Amino acid sequence: VSRSFFVYWSKVLGKYDTNDRAKEIIKEIYSKIEQGNSSIITFSMPAK
């Protein structure tokens, strides 16, 4: 995902108790993107 995408899209994806937990979720998102073999990827944000 390019940086310019985030400049124009400023929605909250999720809110977590710590920065470490938020970083774990970001890693999960990137992993899901890397594993995807199509242009459509579905990811459900985990609860806290």
Side-chain angles (χ1 to χ4, degrees):
V1 178
S2 70
R3 180 172 168 75
S4 62
F5 173 81
F6 291 111
V7 171
Y8 294 107
W9 190 69
S10 60
K11 303 289 182 194
V12 174
L13 293 176
K15 189 170 183 175
Y16 296 94
D17 293 333
T18 66
N19 282 341
D20 288 336
R21 179 64 176 141
K23 288 177 185 178
E24 289 174 8
I25 303 304
I26 296 280
K27 288 179 183 178
E28 288 181 32
I29 293 170
Y30 276 106
S31 176
K32 183 76 171 185
I33 291 169
E34 288 175 347
Q35 293 171 7
N37 57 3
S38 70
S39 61
I40 299 172
I41 297 169
T42 301
F43 182 83
S44 296
M45 294 300 287
K48 295 180 181 183

